[in-house]
Structure formats: C-alpha cells, structure tokens
Amino acid sequence: MKKFIKILLVALTVAVMAVMFVGCSDKSGAIKRAFEGEGYTVTAVNGADNEQLKSWLSDEKLDEIGKYEVITCTKGLLSAVIFKCPSKDSIIDVLGQEAYDSATESGLVNGNCYMITLVPEAVEIFKNA
C-alpha cells in the first residue's frame, strides 16, 4: 500500500508541475506559425542585432533590448514587428500598466509577446495565435 501511495504522489506531483509549466508557456512559436500559415515571411533576430533598432536606440537601450527577440512578419507591403519579451511583467515594465491594459484590449499583447503594426489583418492573426 505504501508503494502505491508513493507512486500516486509522484504522478500527482508530475501532473501539477506540467500544468504549471504549460501556464508559463511562450507564445512566440504559435505566433510565428500563424503568420507563416497566412503567407507572411517571418524572421527573428536578437533585439540587439536588429539594424533598424541600432539606428533608433542608444547603446544603453540596445543592451536592455538584447534580452528580447524581434520577430518581423512581412507580406508584400504589410508588416508587423513583434517583441518576444522574457515575461508579461517585462512588457508592463516597458509600457506601464495603463498602456499595457490598452494594448491588451487592442489585441497587441499575446502572452509574452507585444506587437507593433498598422495592419488590422496582422492584429487578428496575432490575437488568434
């Protein structure tokens, strides 16, 4: 009976840990696949390696943005830039709570990713990924 209880306890512990890790999952993979499925060309680079960001940001800011992956999704003239952040809290740190709430309502935040775009189609793909 003790052996059965030990096995049951281990199985429950594994199940609880699996649920915890799934809740903290990274949304960037699903987002990339969703855009690729809609015919977008998807490229991802470390934020500090992005040439466009290098021209916009100081060296200090580039060091900070190096923690982020920058994903660009393009289809003809349509484009979206997605920042894969370490966590939801890091998006709040950058935007502030009020701007984060507004971006979430607008569909520009999905898990640990924040998107900048002017293309309504891209917002729908991003929200539904």
Side-chain angles (χ1 to χ4, degrees):
M1 185 68 173
K2 285 184 179 182
K3 189 174 185 178
F4 174 74
I5 291 173
K6 283 182 184 179
I7 292 172
L8 183 63
L9 214 64
V10 168
L12 286 174
T13 302
V14 169
V16 168
M17 290 181 73
V19 169
M20 286 175 29
F21 286 124
V22 167
C24 299
S25 66
D26 174 20
K27 296 291 287 184
S28 64
I31 291 168
K32 288 176 189 176
R33 285 189 300 278
F35 274 97
E36 288 170 342
E38 293 295 327
Y40 282 74
T41 301
V42 177
T43 56
V45 296
N46 180 289
D49 296 334
N50 185 292
E51 292 302 320
Q52 185 106 17
L53 290 176
K54 284 181 181 180
S55 67
W56 293 344
L57 301 173
S58 67
D59 289 339
E60 181 181 315
K61 291 290 184 185
L62 275 174
D63 289 340
E64 179 67 22
I65 204 83
K67 295 188 281 186
Y68 303 88
E69 181 179 21
V70 179
I71 304 164
T72 56
C73 306
T74 56
K75 182 179 181 181
L77 297 176
L78 305 177
S79 65
V81 177
I82 301 165
F83 294 92
K84 175 187 164 195
C85 301
S87 68
K88 173 188 108 170
D89 293 335
S90 61
I91 300 172
I92 295 171
D93 290 344
V94 171
L95 297 179
Q97 186 66 51
E98 190 174 316
Y100 173 82
D101 292 341
S102 177
T104 301
E105 287 176 20
S106 301
L108 300 176
V109 174
N110 188 346
N112 62 322
C113 297
Y114 172 67
M115 181 175 68
I116 299 172
T117 189
L118 296 174
V119 182
E121 174 189 339
V123 175
E124 287 303 312
I125 295 168
F126 183 76
K127 280 193 322 190
N128 296 322

